[in-house]
Amino acid sequence: MAGSPRRVDVHQHLLPPFYRDLLAKAGIAEAGGRALPDWSPEAALELMDLLGTATAFLSVSTPGVGFLFDPDKAAELARQLNDFCASLPADHPGRLGWFATLPMPDAAASAAEAERALDELGADGVTLLANNRGTYLGVHGQGALWRTLNERGAVVLVHPADLPAPAVDGIPPFAADFLLDTTRAAYLLVRNGIVRRYPGIRFILGHAGGFVPYASHRMAVAIANDTGRSPLDVLDDLRGFYFDTALSSSPAALPTLLAFARPGHVLFGSDWPFAPTPAGQYFTAGLDTSVEPETLTAVNHTNAEALFARLGATPVPAPRANLARAAQRTAARLLFKLVQPGAR
């Protein structure tokens, strides 16, 4: 398709029917304060075509398998989810990849499932919730998992979950708490030396890293004071994360992210279907209208192509051509410009 953005979406979710049924049986009807959305591969491809996305890497969002307190049942559900996901790339060549679900906070079981998913099933990476029933990434006792991921040079999508504290009335967790959750995990991964000890792991922080770019110098000073390290070294570690643009490509957030992240470390993300289609259109339009063409190309696909082997091994088809979708993208860009401060 001529003129297609050919985006690579590293932050898109799936809810297989059997998983949704298990959540319902456990009394879970929402995630992060939003009702669980409908999902199907066909609907995912329709959204991708609308946004000009060529390939999407799918992951299971919060609560993952952590709502099952029996470790064996959680590990079994993770295997079932990963077996389901493994069939998607063959069914939709070039369009869909996937991140494996792991049964955290059980680090040993998670290491075993990561090995199976990456080595046998062809997973493109793994997704880890920032906290699992109050246990954060980066704390003591997770070495078996980090070693397994480091040996494989794995890509790890760090996704927020509900904070291990009651939500505040009037503030849905996805709107603010999720950003803090990701920031806490990133802080501990740096503070406790995980990113330095396991340099083969490529961590992607969802939603532009939460508060990380904005508060990076403040956190660097705190970590330096706590550990005796140089603030510059701490900042270097924080800048070493990858970041996706899901719900974050606004005139307020995007310039800070691009100024902070290392070159090549910002990736496109949509957060569909938890972020509904209008939200995806709005923030994608923000990306399209806010950066220079070279940077836009890098964020849309070049940076991801350097990160994922699948993108080099399989020819990526263009999004399906449709004049109506192209017109919708143009209209979304115009709307985005109209609602910015100072536009009137």
Side-chain angles (χ1 to χ4, degrees):
M1 173 178 167
S4 167
R6 201 158 59 87
R7 304 185 214 274
V8 175
D9 188 347
V10 304
H11 190 149
Q12 190 177 132
H13 297 300
L14 76 163
L15 287 95
F18 70 86
Y19 177 65
R20 190 187 187 99
D21 290 344
L22 286 173
L23 292 176
K25 289 179 182 178
I28 299 171
E30 62 177 37
R34 295 189 66 92
L36 294 177
D38 293 328
W39 176 85
S40 69
E42 294 73 25
L45 293 172
E46 185 67 26
L47 178 281
M48 291 164 62
D49 291 337
L50 176 62
L51 299 186
T53 301
T55 303
F57 292 91
L58 307 184
S59 58
V60 173
S61 186
T62 185
V65 299
F67 68 98
L68 297 174
F69 286 80
D70 183 318
D72 292 336
K73 290 182 178 178
E76 176 56 34
L77 179 55
R79 287 191 290 270
Q80 188 178 2
L81 285 166
N82 294 334
D83 290 341
F84 176 89
C85 289
S87 67
L88 293 174
D91 292 341
H92 307 281
R95 301 302 307 271
L96 300 179
W98 61 287
F99 292 117
T101 299
L102 303 183
M104 289 292 276
D106 188 332
S110 293
E113 182 58 17
E115 182 175 347
R116 186 184 83 96
L118 294 167
D119 294 356
E120 299 176 22
L121 300 183
D124 298 287
V126 305
T127 184
L128 293 173
L129 298 181
N131 91 84
N132 296 267
R133 301 202 299 270
T135 298
Y136 273 89
L137 301 181
V139 302
H140 180 72
Q142 298 169 349
L145 175 60
W146 302 135
R147 287 190 294 272
T148 297
L149 298 174
N150 188 67
E151 289 167 1
R152 289 157 179 77
V155 177
V156 175
L157 174 65
V158 177
H159 192 279
D162 287 340
L163 294 176
V168 176
D169 284 347
I171 304 178
F174 80 88
D177 294 358
F178 272 19
L179 303 177
L180 175 58
D181 199 49
T182 302
T183 303
R184 285 177 168 181
Y187 189 103
L188 289 172
L189 288 168
V190 171
R191 188 261 180 215
N192 293 339
I194 304 304
V195 296
R196 291 225 162 187
R197 201 173 309 137
Y198 304 100
I201 303 174
R202 282 80 57 80
F203 289 99
I204 303 172
L205 302 182
H207 304 291
F211 303 131
V212 170
Y214 186 80
S216 54
H217 287 253
R218 178 174 180 159
M219 293 192 295
V221 170
I223 293 173
N225 183 65
D226 191 25
T227 63
R229 294 176 55 195
S230 161
L232 293 178
D233 286 344
V234 176
L235 280 169
D236 192 53
D237 286 352
L238 291 169
R239 293 182 69 236
F241 289 115
Y242 288 80
F243 304 84
D244 72 51
T245 65
L247 301 179
S248 303
S249 47
S250 69
L254 190 59
T256 301
L257 175 60
L258 292 172
F260 176 73
R262 286 181 187 170
H265 280 226
V266 179
L267 310 163
F268 176 77
S270 71
D271 199 21
W272 187 87
F274 287 92
T277 296
Q281 290 178 286
Y282 179 84
F283 285 101
T284 300
L287 178 65
D288 287 343
T289 58
S290 301
V291 298
E292 296 298 321
E294 183 177 350
T295 300
L296 180 60
T297 298
V299 173
N300 275 342
H301 62 86
T302 305
N303 295 343
E305 288 166 354
L307 199 58
F308 293 99
R310 183 183 302 278
L311 298 176
T314 304
V316 178
R320 294 170 291 190
N322 184 291
L323 290 177
R325 295 189 192 103
Q328 284 181 279
R329 288 200 294 271
T330 300
R333 292 168 190 165
L334 291 173
L335 176 62
F336 182 88
K337 290 180 178 180
L338 285 174
V339 301
Q340 298 315 306
R344 295 183 295 278

